[in-house]
Amino acid sequence: MSRFKILVFLLAVGIAGSVLAAAYWYYTRVLGHETVVQGQIKKMQGKHTSLPDPGVRRFDEAMEFINASNYAEGRKALYRLLDSFPETSAGPEARRIIGELNMDMLFSQEANPQRKDYIVQPGDSMGLIARKNQTSVECIMRANGMLSTNLQPGDHLFVFPLDFEIVVDISSKTVQLWRGTREKGYFFKEYQALEVRLPPGMKAPAETVIQAKSAWHNGKAVTSENPLFISADKWLVGHKTGFNLRGLPKAKPLVDKTTTPSQPAAATKGKSKGGSKAANKVVDDDDDDGLAGIPETGVFLAREDIEELFTIVRTQTKLFVAR
């Protein structure tokens, strides 16, 4: 009996020893290895080392085409770069260069396949021609180097359609133009917003359209025929109240509650009993305090960016707001 007990005891000790040996092997070979690897990773992170960005090499290859004046191939290479490596550090610069190339092609007589010659007919006006050709008055004037909207029957004008969609990304504060649609078109150009502020009740994602285009000088609306139009504050007015694309103005107009949301009136420096008289007053141009005195909501852009958008965006253009 005692021998049997001794045998059982020795068997139990053997099993326990085997378990401990297996546990030791697992710890040293598996857990220990993972600990070493994690330590090496932390050490590498401490030295700010990172894997090479393959997009940078693709970007350099695209720039070789552009520097050799092969803009078409360079543009294609940049598009391939963004498609293959959307998170590359070269992405912002690639989008900027694509945008500049696309704008040059849009107004080029040779590179724009949609460009056509339009002969002015009796009774034509710039607005009528723009509507018939799905373009804008400002685009026609820029494409033809015009300083006036005066026309004569028989005049030749270069025209081309403007078929864009706008995407405002709140998180990155960017405004993207897409040619055609986002689903079936292609990225055209990106602008960096100075500020994006949604009006009350508007939440992203949202969809709206450009309801109107307006230009304001010292609180008064001006048309493209007016010499003051060049220096006027441009607005792309969204269908949703308070959601406009615009620049930081010299004179800071406010939305006059007695007018429609698409017609901003001038700001005043004090209270006035006469609403219409107050609307004719303006803030001094040198009284510049950033975003103060202008609508609290909307998408605020650099003046040169809103000028460009104002030229190539038509009313009823779709606008999407993304988170």
Side-chain angles (χ1 to χ4, degrees):
M1 186 68 178
S2 59
R3 291 182 180 179
F4 177 75
K5 290 182 178 180
I6 293 172
L7 181 61
V8 171
F9 174 76
L10 292 176
L11 181 62
V13 171
I15 293 174
S18 299
V19 171
L20 290 174
Y24 178 77
W25 178 89
Y26 182 80
Y27 177 81
T28 55
R29 297 297 181 89
V30 179
L31 295 182
H33 178 70
E34 290 182 356
T35 302
V36 172
V37 171
Q38 290 175 359
Q40 291 175 345
I41 291 175
K42 290 182 179 180
K43 187 180 296 184
M44 292 172 64
Q45 291 174 341
K47 294 181 180 180
H48 303 286
T49 59
S50 59
L51 295 175
D53 184 348
V56 173
R57 182 173 59 84
R58 295 285 188 92
F59 177 82
D60 292 339
E61 292 172 355
M63 290 306 300
E64 290 179 5
F65 286 116
I66 294 174
N67 292 333
S69 299
N70 191 347
Y71 303 115
E73 287 301 320
R75 176 173 170 268
K76 291 179 182 178
L78 290 174
Y79 272 119
R80 289 195 297 267
L81 159 66
L82 294 179
D83 184 59
S84 301
F85 306 101
E87 301 300 324
T88 177
S89 60
E93 183 65 8
R95 286 189 288 271
R96 185 191 69 79
I97 295 173
I98 285 175
E100 296 301 325
L101 292 173
N102 284 338
M103 283 299 299
D104 289 343
M105 292 173 61
L106 187 68
F107 288 96
S108 169
Q109 295 187 23
E110 298 79 18
N112 187 346
Q114 294 182 297
R115 190 179 180 116
K116 66 179 182 179
D117 183 36
Y118 180 86
I119 302 176
V120 177
Q121 304 298 312
D124 270 348
S125 66
M126 288 289 283
L128 179 60
I129 295 172
R131 288 192 295 274
K132 288 196 296 187
N133 293 278
Q134 296 81 49
T135 185
S136 71
V137 171
E138 298 77 27
C139 184
I140 294 175
M141 294 181 69
R142 174 172 171 176
N144 293 275
M146 301 171 65
L147 299 177
S148 169
T149 58
N150 294 331
L151 297 172
Q152 296 295 329
D155 286 348
H156 288 253
L157 297 175
F158 289 114
V159 296
F160 47 86
L162 300 172
D163 52 339
F164 292 107
E165 286 188 354
I166 303 173
V167 178
V168 176
D169 190 301
I170 297 176
S171 60
S172 62
K173 290 186 178 180
T174 56
V175 177
Q176 288 189 350
L177 270 184
W178 285 74
R179 196 73 192 265
T181 65
R182 294 173 300 165
E183 292 78 14
K184 298 182 180 179
Y186 60 90
F187 167 80
F188 187 83
K189 189 169 184 179
E190 182 177 272
Y191 304 88
Q192 190 67 46
L194 301 176
E195 190 61 71
V196 178
R197 301 176 181 174
L198 297 184
M202 185 176 182
K203 296 182 180 180
E207 179 178 343
T208 183
V209 298
I210 299 300
Q211 176 178 275
K213 297 169 63 176
S214 58
W216 298 85
H217 187 274
N218 286 353
K220 297 180 180 179
V222 295
T223 63
S224 54
E225 294 89 356
N226 193 315
L228 297 174
F229 179 82
I230 296 177
S231 60
D233 298 326
K234 308 300 193 306
W235 292 56
L236 293 174
V237 184
H239 183 264
K240 293 185 182 294
T241 302
F243 191 75
N244 310 307
L245 275 66
R246 58 165 306 182
L248 295 179
K250 296 178 182 177
K252 306 176 185 63
L254 289 173
V255 175
D256 185 351
K257 294 181 180 179
T258 64
T259 65
T260 63
S262 61
Q263 296 175 332
T268 63
K269 281 190 173 180
K271 296 181 179 179
S272 173
K273 296 181 180 180
S276 60
K277 291 182 180 180
N280 292 325
K281 296 181 181 179
V282 296
V283 177
D284 294 338
D285 286 355
D286 58 356
D287 184 19
D288 187 4
D289 52 356
L291 293 174
I294 62 177
E296 295 182 354
T297 59
V299 181
F300 302 98
L301 297 158
R303 291 181 67 86
E304 60 271 18
D305 291 340
I306 192 63
E307 289 281 352
E308 186 169 271
L309 282 168
F310 195 90
T311 298
I312 60 176
V313 169
R314 297 187 295 135
T315 56
Q316 300 308 309
T317 296
K318 290 184 178 181
L319 189 152
F320 301 90
V321 181
R323 291 190 179 92

